[in-house]
Amino acid sequence: MKIKSLLSILLLALSVSVFAAGLVNKTQAVTRSEATGHIDTATFASGCFWCAEAKFSQLKGVLKVTAGYTGGHVAHPDYELVCTGTTGHAEAFNVVYDSAVITYDELLEAFFLSHDPTELNRQGNDFGTQYRSAIFYHNKTQEQRALYYIRQFTEQRIYSRKIVTEVTALTVFYEAEKSQQDYYKKHPEQGYCRYVIQPELEKFKQIFKEKLK
């Protein structure tokens, strides 16, 4: 895994967060007024879905996070098959949220800050297309917002390398097995959870401390 100091991560997070907050503020009134009190769904992929689920579950307004598979060509895949990297699926997660509490723009901010969107088909020591960075949009508005963020981050050179996040329409989302749901919550002492997810979760909590449940 590429080792970065906590300071460098927090500095990058701060720059992205401040810039993203500006983008959110420009459209927050519109996105909230269009869906006040509406329960909506967003779908992302950002590496291991155990880690992503643990992070997004902490945010106010997020009602449920479900680990699953999408973006591939094999029907009804399972964890072992997806891990071979031959199905085309990404380890993804559905976020059911209350848009009166948290907007899609704010979820995009959390998405970009919760992983490295410049790493192609990997996150840390996890290699393969199943660990790719991706936004699976449910409608045209989500597509436009995702592309807008990527364009703005690129123009402002927030990242030193090119953003490789895939933006594609959601087709079928296959819910992962029960054993894969709430994995960190159920196995906090497991090696991967303790030494990979826990440090990442703590950094996420520091960045989003004002938005935690």
Side-chain angles (χ1 to χ4, degrees):
M1 178 181 293
K2 184 186 299 180
I3 303 299
K4 299 179 180 178
S5 69
L6 178 59
L7 178 60
S8 64
I9 292 173
L10 291 178
L11 286 175
L12 173 61
L14 178 62
S15 64
V16 175
S17 184
V18 170
F19 184 72
L23 299 183
V24 171
N25 290 336
K26 290 178 181 179
T27 58
Q28 197 171 63
V30 175
T31 56
R32 286 199 193 281
S33 64
E34 287 179 344
T36 300
H38 182 252
I39 306 304
D40 211 339
T41 303
T43 304
F44 304 110
S46 57
C48 174
F49 53 24
W50 297 343
C51 191
E53 181 184 53
K55 292 175 180 177
F56 277 73
S57 295
Q58 304 295 316
L59 297 172
K60 292 177 183 177
V62 171
L63 307 178
K64 183 179 181 181
V65 183
T66 303
Y69 318 109
T70 192
H73 56 268
V74 176
H76 307 290
D78 60 26
Y79 182 72
E80 290 188 3
L81 187 58
V82 171
C83 281
T84 67
T86 61
T87 70
H89 289 290
E91 283 196 13
F93 57 102
N94 267 354
V95 181
V96 177
Y97 65 100
D98 184 345
S99 60
V101 180
I102 187 168
T103 66
Y104 186 70
D105 282 50
E106 290 170 322
L107 290 176
L108 283 173
E109 178 185 354
F111 167 77
F112 282 108
L113 288 177
S114 66
H115 77 301
D116 186 347
T118 70
E119 288 196 321
L120 181 63
N121 297 331
R122 64 170 290 185
Q123 284 296 307
N125 281 336
D126 296 324
F127 292 86
T129 57
Q130 68 270 32
Y131 299 114
R132 66 188 182 271
S133 174
I135 298 170
F136 297 95
Y137 59 85
H138 291 239
N139 53 54
K140 196 66 177 179
T141 298
Q142 288 188 356
E143 178 189 22
Q144 291 172 343
R145 298 312 299 159
L147 293 175
Y148 177 70
Y149 265 70
I150 292 173
R151 184 170 64 252
Q152 292 298 313
F153 285 151
T154 299
E155 291 177 355
Q156 297 297 322
R157 298 182 179 179
I158 296 298
Y159 296 95
S160 60
R161 297 185 299 176
K162 180 181 178 181
I163 294 175
V164 295
T165 301
E166 167 190 331
V167 179
T168 188
L170 178 71
T171 52
V172 180
F173 181 86
Y174 295 100
E175 187 172 322
E177 301 88 324
K178 288 184 179 180
S179 61
Q180 304 303 320
Q181 307 297 337
D182 296 315
Y183 194 88
Y184 174 76
K185 183 178 181 180
K186 292 186 289 189
H187 307 284
E189 296 304 316
Q190 189 256 16
Y192 189 90
C193 293
R194 185 174 181 180
Y195 297 109
V196 178
I197 297 179
Q198 186 173 328
E200 287 293 317
L201 182 58
E202 290 306 314
K203 286 182 287 189
F204 185 83
K205 287 181 177 180
Q206 288 183 51
I207 297 167
F208 289 98
K209 59 185 176 181
E210 302 300 324
K211 297 182 181 180
L212 300 179
K213 293 176 180 176

